[in-house]
């Protein structure tokens, strides 16, 4: 089928779904285990009252992760390592809390432990039973199964392989790459999937399979859909399988809260920023990692798995980072240190003079920061008209060539009472060599990642590469899962260093 024929078929199917000539079904399936996990989770969340730095908060966060697995994974637990791991973690975390809660919470935690043990039994979830039955009824070659995550898609593919079932499997991320099928089964409620599931469908008949305890059953719509001429509402048929739990009357109005949420430790109230501190936000990453990312930083290396080999590594503005971005982190030393060393090599005989002038103006700025304090320095620089005054502390780092804007650097030097010419010339030379060094390092990273398994990265959210012939212990590419909503002062040598983080594991 040609590309043009595919587009014609796509528009035809979208029209059939929108006009109600195709089937759009919501099938809610009784699942006693998942329902009780959800009920207990809601009671524990209410008891927690917004607290985050308590053992009970860890139980809630881990239980959210388990509930997500129960909702999105239709296969037996032997194909879902994350589900098994979360269940075991809940057993341990809840057991530690038993002696410190009241009777009502004690009973809830005891039941949660029993439910976690039941999850570890290698049985087929109710959603999986119905999915398997439905596929066999219509024929595997006529359907596609779409999962909410790459990891769930892999588990489903392994399960189908074990059964010699040849139905196509894909994650929601790869929805647009699918060919047109007769039926698409989405494992999970509509709110977990992109609006393109119905706005740009890959099947004539669409069925969502999910636990009957789910309260949010809205169909996501594209924002432009309400303005489209002749747009009509979708015709939805609902079915119930098994005994349904009692739910509020207006289930569609309930805000979505099904996805796991991070556990943030609030900053200490009495911790003031020191001279060697920078303001940073915690970033949770795939692979159970986290970093402290300086908010004054301008750029960070990222990876685009969808691009061809040799064009994957790019620079992203720190302010533009969002969940889903893949960061590239170097082990052994920070990317900034590697960049600085390569820049000095490229400067050659000029390195001594450049380093000397850099040390002079940075030392002068450092003395002002020490004597006046960061807030007063920032305020004074802003009064001169300097746009990026908030980054003043970051400019003292040896790896930072100078302020980004020429006007800002000139105003800074005048405020420091330094003669601008020689400092500007050398800093500009340093920045030019730094750009060349950045290109060199990018090529080195591209070579190291050339043979990396991008499908594994998308599935697991983290990939470690050990490059040969370099001084670095390795390179880690990891997906951003969440970014803390608040800043904390962190020592400048602690930023951008990957560390293990249990809360990050619960988000995957």
């Amino acid at each position: 089928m040609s590309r043009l024929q595919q587009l014609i078929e796509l528009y035809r199917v979208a029209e059939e779904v929108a006009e109600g000539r195709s089937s759009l079904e919501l099938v809610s399936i009784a699942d006693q285990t998942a329902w009780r996990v959800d009920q207990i989770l809601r009671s524990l969340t209410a008891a927690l009252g917004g607290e985050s730095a308590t053992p009970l908060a860890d139980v809630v966060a881990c239980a959210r992760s388990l509930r997500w697995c129960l909702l999105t994974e239709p296969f037996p637990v032997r194909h879902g390592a994350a589900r098994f791991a979360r269940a075991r973690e809940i057993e341990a975390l809840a057991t530690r809390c038993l002696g410190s809660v009241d009777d009502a919470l004690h009973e809830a935690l005891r039941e949660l432990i029993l439910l976690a043990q039941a999850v570890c039994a290698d049985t087929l979830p109710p959603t999986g039973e119905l999915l398997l039955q439905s596929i066999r009824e219509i024929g595997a070659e006529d359907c596609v199964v779409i999962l909410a995550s790459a990891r769930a898609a892999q588990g489903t593919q392994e399960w189908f392989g074990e059964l010699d079932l040849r139905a196509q499997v894909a994650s929601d991320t790869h929805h647009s790459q699918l060919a047109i099928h007769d039926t698409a089964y989405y494992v999970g409620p509509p709110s977990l999937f992109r609006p393109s599931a119905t706005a740009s469908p890959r099947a004539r008949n669409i069925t969502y399979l999910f636990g009957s305890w789910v309260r949010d059953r809205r169909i996501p719509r594209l924002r432009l859909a309400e303005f489209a001429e002749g747009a009509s509402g979708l015709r939805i048929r609902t079915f119930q399988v098994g005994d349904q739990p009692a739910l509020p009357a207006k289930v569609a109005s309930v805000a979505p809260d099904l996805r796991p949420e991070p556990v943030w430790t609030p900053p200490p109230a009495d911790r003031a920023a020191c001279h060697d501190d920078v303001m940073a936000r915690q970033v949770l990453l795939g692979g159970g990692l986290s970093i402290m990312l300086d908010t004054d930083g301008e750029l960070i290396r990222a990876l685009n798995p969808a691009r061809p080999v040799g064009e994957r590594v790019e620079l992203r503005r720190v302010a533009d980072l969002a969940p889903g971005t893949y960061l590239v982190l170097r082990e052994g030393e920070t990317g900034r240190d590697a960049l600085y060393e390569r820049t000095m090599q490229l400067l050659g005989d000029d390195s001594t003079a450049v380093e000397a002038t850099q040390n002079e103006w940075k030392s002068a700025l450092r003395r002002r920061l020490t004597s006046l304090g960061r807030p007063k320095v920032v305020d004074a620089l802003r009064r001169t008209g300097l746009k990026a005054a908030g980054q003043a502390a970051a400019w003292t780092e040896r790896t930072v060539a100078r302020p980004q804007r020429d006007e800002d650097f000139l105003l800074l030097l005048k405020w420091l009472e330094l003669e601008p010419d020689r400092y500007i010339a050398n800093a500009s030379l340093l920045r030019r060599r730094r750009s060349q060094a950045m290109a060199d390092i990018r090529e080195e990273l591209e070579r190291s990642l050339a043979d990396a398994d991008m499908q594994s990265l998308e599935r697991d959210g983290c990939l470690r590469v050990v490059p040969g012939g370099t001084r670095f212990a390795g390179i880690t590419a990891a997906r951003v899962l969440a970014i803390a909503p608040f800043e904390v002062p962190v020592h400048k040598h602690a930023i951008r260093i990957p560390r293990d983080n249990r809360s990050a594991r619960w988000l995957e």
Side-chain angles (χ1 to χ4, degrees):
M1 182 181 291
S2 69
R3 177 62 178 163
L4 179 58
Q5 289 173 316
Q6 289 177 335
L7 287 173
I8 293 173
E9 183 72 0
L10 178 61
Y11 279 112
R12 182 181 295 119
V13 171
E15 182 182 21
E16 291 176 2
V17 172
E19 293 181 354
R21 288 186 280 131
S22 294
S23 171
L24 179 60
E25 300 177 348
L26 303 183
V27 182
S28 61
I29 306 160
D31 185 339
Q32 183 69 20
T33 298
W35 174 58
R36 285 305 300 156
V37 169
D38 176 69
Q39 292 294 300
I40 294 171
L41 178 55
R42 291 178 183 275
S43 66
L44 294 178
T45 302
L48 196 58
E51 293 290 331
S52 60
T54 68
L56 190 59
D58 287 342
V59 175
V60 168
C62 191
R64 278 182 173 272
S65 183
L66 177 62
R67 184 180 63 175
W68 172 259
C69 293
L70 294 172
L71 179 63
T72 61
E73 298 178 356
F75 42 81
V77 75
R78 63 180 175 275
H79 297 295
R83 196 190 328 161
F84 185 86
R86 298 302 172 268
R88 289 302 188 206
E89 282 186 286
I90 283 179
E91 285 188 69
L93 293 168
T95 299
R96 285 201 291 268
C97 289
L98 287 175
S100 58
V101 296
D102 59 29
D103 291 344
L105 288 181
H106 188 278
E107 288 303 312
L109 290 174
R110 289 293 301 173
E111 183 179 356
L112 187 60
I113 292 171
L114 294 176
L115 290 168
Q117 292 171 349
V119 168
C120 293
D122 198 29
T123 56
L124 184 60
T127 302
E129 291 182 7
L130 186 60
L131 174 64
L132 199 57
Q133 176 185 337
S134 302
I135 291 174
R136 285 172 170 163
E137 285 178 356
I138 69 169
E141 67 280 358
D142 292 329
C143 70
V144 59
V145 180
I146 302 176
L147 289 304
S149 71
R151 184 171 292 177
Q154 182 197 27
T156 303
Q157 188 71 65
E158 292 175 358
W159 175 42
F160 283 179
E162 181 182 83
L163 299 173
D164 196 26
L165 195 66
R166 302 189 182 278
Q168 185 174 355
V169 176
S171 68
D172 186 40
T173 304
H174 298 107
H175 168 271
S176 61
Q177 302 172 16
L178 296 171
I180 301 298
H181 287 73
D182 180 71
T183 302
Y185 292 105
Y186 287 80
V187 180
S191 59
L192 299 190
F193 298 93
R194 303 178 187 193
S196 56
T198 54
S200 179
R202 258 44 185 187
R204 295 175 178 83
N205 302 291
I206 299 171
T207 299
Y208 293 94
L209 305 174
F210 54 89
S212 55
W213 52 270
V214 174
R215 305 185 182 198
D216 183 7
R217 303 180 182 184
R218 294 169 295 180
I219 305 293
R221 301 293 301 275
L222 294 172
R223 291 184 178 180
L224 293 177
E226 59 184 286
F227 302 107
E229 184 177 351
S232 61
L234 298 171
R235 293 186 180 180
I236 303 170
R237 295 193 299 171
T238 61
F239 299 89
Q240 297 179 350
V241 178
D243 296 331
Q244 306 288 299
L247 293 176
K250 295 183 178 180
V251 294
S253 65
V254 179
D257 59 352
L258 297 174
R259 296 181 184 275
E261 293 183 351
V263 177
W264 303 114
T265 302
D270 57 349
R271 171 71 161 89
C274 302
H275 169 63
D276 287 334
D277 285 347
V278 295
M279 300 306 294
R281 295 181 189 271
Q282 187 179 43
V283 179
L284 301 183
L285 303 170
L289 301 174
S290 69
I291 60 170
M292 299 303 299
L293 182 60
D294 47 315
T295 52
D296 286 344
E298 294 179 354
L299 301 171
I300 189 168
R301 291 197 181 275
L303 178 73
N304 187 341
R307 297 189 65 83
V309 173
E311 301 177 15
R312 290 171 176 162
V313 180
E314 57 192 19
L315 288 173
R316 293 281 184 92
R317 293 180 65 244
V318 168
D320 294 338
L321 286 188
T325 304
Y326 291 89
L327 299 184
V328 179
L329 307 169
R330 307 186 70 147
E331 301 172 18
E333 66 177 304
T334 67
R336 287 181 172 184
D337 290 332
L339 177 60
Y340 184 78
E341 289 185 11
R342 178 58 180 158
T343 303
M344 289 295 107
Q345 292 173 1
L346 292 174
L347 281 169
D349 295 339
D350 293 325
S351 61
T352 301
V354 169
E355 202 164 22
T357 54
Q358 286 290 104
N359 287 336
E360 287 177 21
W361 74 261
K362 288 175 184 288
S363 295
L365 177 56
R366 198 175 291 113
R367 287 192 295 270
R368 294 284 183 97
L369 286 165
T370 302
S371 61
L372 299 177
R374 182 177 179 274
K376 289 185 177 180
V377 168
V378 170
D379 184 60
L381 289 174
R382 282 178 177 155
R383 287 199 301 271
T384 70
L386 200 152
K387 299 291 186 183
Q391 299 177 3
W395 294 332
T396 63
E397 286 296 303
R398 65 167 189 157
T399 54
V400 178
R402 42 161 284 184
Q404 187 70 24
R405 296 175 69 251
D406 294 339
E407 297 85 351
D408 280 356
F409 193 29
L410 180 60
L411 290 170
L412 173 65
L413 293 171
K414 289 182 176 179
W415 183 74
L416 293 173
E417 300 177 351
L418 297 174
E419 179 60 37
D421 291 345
R422 58 192 281 261
Y423 297 102
I424 290 176
N426 279 345
S428 298
L429 176 60
L430 175 62
R431 189 162 67 171
R432 289 196 298 273
R433 295 295 178 265
R434 186 173 182 266
S435 296
Q436 184 180 344
M438 289 170 68
D440 292 346
I441 289 179
R442 178 186 175 279
E443 290 180 6
E444 179 186 352
L445 290 171
E446 289 284 7
R447 288 194 298 271
S448 299
L449 292 166
D451 298 324
D453 185 354
M454 293 296 108
Q455 288 186 339
S456 173
L457 174 61
E458 292 188 74
R459 181 190 68 232
D460 301 329
C462 184
L463 180 68
R464 184 171 182 269
V465 177
V466 181
T470 72
R471 64 182 181 278
F472 301 105
I475 297 168
T476 297
R479 181 169 55 233
V480 174
L481 302 177
I483 302 173
F486 51 81
E487 297 180 345
V488 294
V490 178
H491 194 277
K492 60 186 179 182
H493 294 306
I495 63 171
R496 305 194 183 194
I497 305 297
R499 293 181 172 83
D500 291 334
N501 188 296
R502 185 170 61 184
S503 183
R505 292 205 310 273
W506 297 334
L507 291 183
E508 295 179 288

